[in-house]
Protein backbone atom coordinates (compact mmCIF):
# COMPACT_ATOMS: atom_id res chain seq x y z
CA UNK A 1 0.00 0.00 0.00
CA UNK A 2 1.21 3.53 -0.74
CA UNK A 3 0.12 5.92 2.01
CA UNK A 4 0.71 9.66 1.76
CA UNK A 5 0.59 12.09 4.69
CA UNK A 6 -0.62 15.29 3.12
CA UNK A 7 -1.88 18.69 4.16
CA UNK A 8 -0.90 21.90 2.44
CA UNK A 9 -1.01 23.53 5.86
CA UNK A 10 2.38 23.46 7.60
CA UNK A 11 3.11 21.84 10.94
CA UNK A 12 0.07 19.58 11.29
CA UNK A 13 2.14 16.42 11.89
CA UNK A 14 2.80 14.98 8.42
CA UNK A 15 6.45 14.16 9.11
CA UNK A 16 5.86 12.96 12.67
CA UNK A 17 3.10 10.58 11.61
CA UNK A 18 4.88 9.43 8.41
CA UNK A 19 7.99 8.46 10.40
CA UNK A 20 5.98 6.76 13.13
CA UNK A 21 3.72 4.79 10.78
CA UNK A 22 6.77 3.66 8.78
CA UNK A 23 8.63 2.78 11.99
CA UNK A 24 5.71 0.90 13.51
CA UNK A 25 5.15 -1.21 10.40
CA UNK A 26 8.91 -1.90 10.15
CA UNK A 27 8.93 -2.92 13.81
CA UNK A 28 6.18 -5.42 13.01
CA UNK A 29 8.34 -6.96 10.27
CA UNK A 30 6.95 -5.21 7.19
CA UNK A 31 9.31 -3.99 4.48
CA UNK A 32 8.83 -0.23 4.44
CA UNK A 33 10.21 2.60 2.32
CA UNK A 34 9.70 6.21 3.30
CA UNK A 35 9.68 8.85 0.59
CA UNK A 36 10.54 12.35 1.73
CA UNK A 37 8.59 14.43 -0.78
CA UNK A 38 9.21 17.69 1.07
CA UNK A 39 12.01 19.98 -0.18
CA UNK A 40 12.61 20.88 3.52
CA UNK A 41 13.89 17.30 3.92
CA UNK A 42 12.80 16.85 7.55
CA UNK A 43 12.43 13.06 7.28
CA UNK A 44 15.88 12.81 5.71
CA UNK A 45 17.29 14.99 8.51
CA UNK A 46 15.69 12.68 11.06
CA UNK A 47 17.24 9.62 9.46
CA UNK A 48 20.68 11.31 9.31
CA UNK A 49 20.37 12.21 12.97
CA UNK A 50 19.61 8.56 13.62
CA UNK A 51 22.73 7.43 11.81
CA UNK A 52 24.82 9.94 13.78
CA UNK A 53 23.42 8.54 17.02
CA UNK A 54 24.33 5.00 15.92
CA UNK A 55 20.71 3.82 16.00
CA UNK A 56 19.69 0.85 13.83
CA UNK A 57 18.05 1.47 10.48
CA UNK A 58 14.36 0.60 10.61
CA UNK A 59 13.38 1.47 7.06
CA UNK A 60 14.94 3.08 4.01
CA UNK A 61 14.31 6.79 3.46
CA UNK A 62 14.70 8.40 0.07
CA UNK A 63 14.35 12.02 -0.98
CA UNK A 64 11.98 12.42 -3.92
CA UNK A 65 10.66 15.97 -3.85
CA UNK A 66 9.80 15.97 -7.55
CA UNK A 67 6.61 16.35 -9.58
CA UNK A 68 7.38 12.94 -11.13
CA UNK A 69 6.74 11.19 -7.80
CA UNK A 70 3.59 9.50 -9.11
CA UNK A 71 5.49 7.79 -11.91
CA UNK A 72 8.33 6.67 -9.62
CA UNK A 73 6.43 5.51 -6.52
CA UNK A 74 4.84 2.35 -8.04
CA UNK A 75 8.30 1.00 -8.88
CA UNK A 76 9.42 1.56 -5.28
CA UNK A 77 6.24 -0.06 -4.01
CA UNK A 78 7.06 -3.33 -5.78
CA UNK A 79 9.92 -4.05 -3.38
CA UNK A 80 8.09 -2.97 -0.21
CA UNK A 81 4.98 -3.95 1.73
CA UNK A 82 4.23 -0.30 2.48
CA UNK A 83 5.50 2.96 1.01
CA UNK A 84 4.91 6.01 3.19
CA UNK A 85 5.11 9.46 1.59
CA UNK A 86 5.85 12.48 3.77
CA UNK A 87 4.31 15.36 1.84
CA UNK A 88 5.29 19.01 1.55
CA UNK A 89 3.32 21.99 2.78
CA UNK A 90 2.19 24.52 0.16
CA UNK A 91 3.95 23.14 -2.95
CA UNK A 92 0.89 22.39 -5.12
CA UNK A 93 2.65 20.48 -7.93
CA UNK A 94 4.36 18.11 -5.52
CA UNK A 95 1.18 17.66 -3.56
CA UNK A 96 -0.74 16.71 -6.71
CA UNK A 97 1.96 14.25 -7.68
CA UNK A 98 1.95 12.66 -4.21
CA UNK A 99 -1.85 12.36 -4.40
CA UNK A 100 -1.69 10.58 -7.74
CA UNK A 101 0.98 8.24 -6.36
CA UNK A 102 -0.95 6.94 -3.36
CA UNK A 103 -3.70 4.44 -2.54
CA UNK A 104 -4.55 6.22 0.69
CA UNK A 105 -4.11 9.84 1.71
CA UNK A 106 -4.02 10.64 5.41
CA UNK A 107 -4.64 14.27 6.32
CA UNK A 108 -3.34 15.20 9.76
CA UNK A 109 -5.34 18.02 11.33
CA UNK A 110 -5.16 19.64 14.72
CA UNK A 111 -8.27 19.92 16.84
CA UNK A 112 -9.09 23.49 15.92
CA UNK A 113 -11.97 24.79 13.81
CA UNK A 114 -9.44 26.70 11.70
CA UNK A 115 -7.73 23.49 10.65
CA UNK A 116 -11.00 22.21 9.27
CA UNK A 117 -11.24 25.25 7.02
CA UNK A 118 -7.61 25.10 5.94
CA UNK A 119 -8.21 21.57 4.73
CA UNK A 120 -10.85 22.56 2.19
CA UNK A 121 -8.10 23.26 -0.34
CA UNK A 122 -6.79 19.77 0.37
CA UNK A 123 -10.24 18.36 -0.33
CA UNK A 124 -10.50 19.99 -3.74
CA UNK A 125 -7.06 18.62 -4.63
CA UNK A 126 -8.31 15.14 -3.70
CA UNK A 127 -11.40 15.63 -5.87
CA UNK A 128 -9.21 16.62 -8.80
CA UNK A 129 -6.92 13.61 -8.31
CA UNK A 130 -9.97 11.29 -8.21
CA UNK A 131 -10.83 12.31 -11.77
CA UNK A 132 -7.75 10.32 -12.80
CA UNK A 133 -7.74 7.78 -9.98
CA UNK A 134 -11.23 7.36 -8.47
CA UNK A 135 -9.98 4.63 -6.12
CA UNK A 136 -7.87 6.97 -3.93
CA UNK A 137 -9.05 6.61 -0.32
CA UNK A 138 -8.74 9.48 2.15
CA UNK A 139 -9.03 9.94 5.92
CA UNK A 140 -8.43 12.70 8.43
CA UNK A 141 -6.27 12.03 11.49
CA UNK A 142 -6.71 14.19 14.57
CA UNK A 143 -3.21 14.96 15.87
CA UNK A 144 -2.03 16.86 18.97
CA UNK A 145 -5.26 16.35 20.87
CA UNK A 146 -5.37 17.61 24.42
CA UNK A 147 -6.96 15.53 27.15
CA UNK A 148 -10.57 15.26 26.01
CA UNK A 149 -10.99 18.90 25.10
CA UNK A 150 -14.31 20.15 23.81
CA UNK A 151 -12.61 21.46 20.70
CA UNK A 152 -11.33 17.94 19.85
CA UNK A 153 -14.86 16.56 20.27
CA UNK A 154 -16.25 19.33 18.08
CA UNK A 155 -13.63 18.77 15.38
CA UNK A 156 -14.35 15.03 15.50
CA UNK A 157 -18.09 15.70 15.23
CA UNK A 158 -17.61 18.06 12.27
CA UNK A 159 -15.31 15.64 10.46
CA UNK A 160 -17.49 12.67 11.36
CA UNK A 161 -20.01 13.45 8.63
CA UNK A 162 -17.36 14.15 6.07
CA UNK A 163 -15.80 12.31 3.18
CA UNK A 164 -12.93 11.92 4.00
CA UNK A 165 -14.02 10.54 7.35
CA UNK A 166 -11.97 10.56 10.51
CA UNK A 167 -9.66 7.75 11.65
CA UNK A 168 -10.94 6.52 15.03
CA UNK A 169 -7.53 6.55 16.73
CA UNK A 170 -6.48 10.06 17.70
CA UNK A 171 -2.94 11.11 18.57
CA UNK A 172 -2.40 13.15 21.71
CA UNK A 173 -0.27 16.21 22.27
CA UNK A 174 2.77 14.54 23.87
CA UNK A 175 6.32 15.71 24.52
CA UNK A 176 7.64 12.30 23.43
CA UNK A 177 6.94 13.26 19.79
CA UNK A 178 9.04 16.41 20.03
CA UNK A 179 11.82 14.50 21.75
CA UNK A 180 11.67 11.78 19.10
CA UNK A 181 12.00 14.38 16.32
CA UNK A 182 14.96 15.99 18.03
CA UNK A 183 16.91 12.81 18.73
CA UNK A 184 16.31 10.76 15.58
CA UNK A 185 14.15 8.32 17.50
CA UNK A 186 10.60 7.03 17.48
CA UNK A 187 8.41 7.22 20.57
CA UNK A 188 8.61 3.45 21.14
CA UNK A 189 12.40 3.74 21.32
CA UNK A 190 12.06 6.31 24.09
CA UNK A 191 9.48 4.30 26.05
CA UNK A 192 7.66 1.39 24.49
CA UNK A 193 5.02 1.44 27.20
CA UNK A 194 4.15 5.10 26.80
CA UNK A 195 0.75 6.38 25.77
CA UNK A 196 2.36 7.79 22.61
CA UNK A 197 3.66 4.31 21.66
CA UNK A 198 0.24 2.73 22.21
CA UNK A 199 -1.47 5.39 20.13
CA UNK A 200 0.95 4.89 17.24
CA UNK A 201 0.59 1.09 17.35
CA UNK A 202 -3.20 1.41 17.30
CA UNK A 203 -3.08 3.98 14.50
CA UNK A 204 -0.78 1.80 12.37
CA UNK A 205 -3.07 -1.17 12.84
CA UNK A 206 -6.19 0.84 11.96
CA UNK A 207 -4.53 2.32 8.86
CA UNK A 208 -3.13 -1.10 7.90
CA UNK A 209 -6.69 -2.47 7.79
CA UNK A 210 -7.52 0.10 5.10
CA UNK A 211 -5.07 -1.52 2.68
CA UNK A 212 -6.69 -2.13 -0.71
N1 LIG B 1 1.27 14.65 18.63
C1 LIG B 1 2.24 15.56 18.82
N2 LIG B 1 2.60 15.92 20.07
C2 LIG B 1 3.56 16.85 20.28
N3 LIG B 1 4.25 17.45 19.30
C3 LIG B 1 3.93 17.13 18.03
C4 LIG B 1 2.93 16.16 17.71
N4 LIG B 1 2.85 16.06 16.37
C5 LIG B 1 3.77 16.90 15.87
N5 LIG B 1 4.42 17.55 16.85
C6 LIG B 1 5.48 18.58 16.71
O1 LIG B 1 4.94 19.63 15.92
C7 LIG B 1 5.88 20.13 15.00
C8 LIG B 1 5.35 19.97 13.59
O2 LIG B 1 5.18 18.59 13.31
P1 LIG B 1 5.63 17.97 11.91
O3 LIG B 1 6.99 18.44 11.55
O4 LIG B 1 5.39 16.52 11.98
O5 LIG B 1 4.55 18.67 10.97
P2 LIG B 1 4.56 18.74 9.37
O6 LIG B 1 3.14 18.75 8.96
O7 LIG B 1 5.44 17.70 8.82
O8 LIG B 1 5.21 20.18 9.14
P3 LIG B 1 5.68 20.78 7.70
O9 LIG B 1 4.41 21.21 7.05
O10 LIG B 1 6.58 21.92 8.06
O11 LIG B 1 6.37 19.68 6.97
C9 LIG B 1 7.16 19.34 15.26
O12 LIG B 1 7.98 20.07 16.12
C10 LIG B 1 6.67 18.07 15.95
O13 LIG B 1 7.65 17.52 16.82
MG1 LIG C 1 7.00 17.84 7.44
Amino acid sequence: MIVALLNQKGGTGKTTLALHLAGQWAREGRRVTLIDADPQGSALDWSEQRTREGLPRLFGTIGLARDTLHSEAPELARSADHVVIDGPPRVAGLLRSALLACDLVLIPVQPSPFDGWASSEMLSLIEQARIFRPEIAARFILNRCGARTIIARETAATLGDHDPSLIGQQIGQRVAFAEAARTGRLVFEIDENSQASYEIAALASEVGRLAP
Side-chain angles (χ1 to χ4, degrees), residues 11 13-16 38 40 42-43 86-89:
K14 297 179 285 295
T15 302
T16 302
D38 182 355
Q40 294 178 111
S42 325
D86 177 18

Side-chain angles (χ1 to χ4, degrees), residues 109-113 116 140-142 145 149-168 170:
V109 290
Q110 294 182 20
S112 128
F140 285 107
I141 298 180
L142 263 185
C145 296
T149 54
I150 293 169
I151 198 100
R153 271 206 303 277
E154 281 176 353
T155 311
T158 311
L159 296 179
D161 306 330
H162 238 274
D163 171 46
S165 61
L166 185 66
I167 292 271
Q170 306 179 356

Side-chain angles (χ1 to χ4, degrees), residues 105-121:
V105 47
L106 298 175
I107 312 161
V109 290
Q110 294 182 20
S112 128
F114 302 108
D115 269 86
W117 291 115
S119 297
S120 65
E121 190 184 332

Side-chain angles (χ1 to χ4, degrees), residues 6 34 37 49 54 64 66 81 86 98 110 122 125 127 138 141 154 164 172 180 182 188 194 196 200 204:
L6 301 177
L34 187 128
Q49 172 73 4
L64 245 185
R66 295 201 287 259
D81 297 313
D86 177 18
Q110 294 182 20
M122 196 54 234
L125 285 170
E127 254 171 47
I141 298 180
E154 281 176 353
R182 196 167 41 77
F188 79 78
S194 63
I200 289 298

Side-chain angles (χ1 to χ4, degrees), residues 7 9-17 38 40 42 86-89 108 110 143-145 171-175 177-178 181:
N7 192 336
K9 188 179 156 72
T12 57
K14 297 179 285 295
T15 302
T16 302
L17 297 178
D38 182 355
Q40 294 178 111
S42 325
D86 177 18
Q110 294 182 20
N143 184 32
R144 306 191 81 158
C145 296
I171 304 296
Q173 164 70 34
R174 305 191 188 282
V175 285
F177 287 106

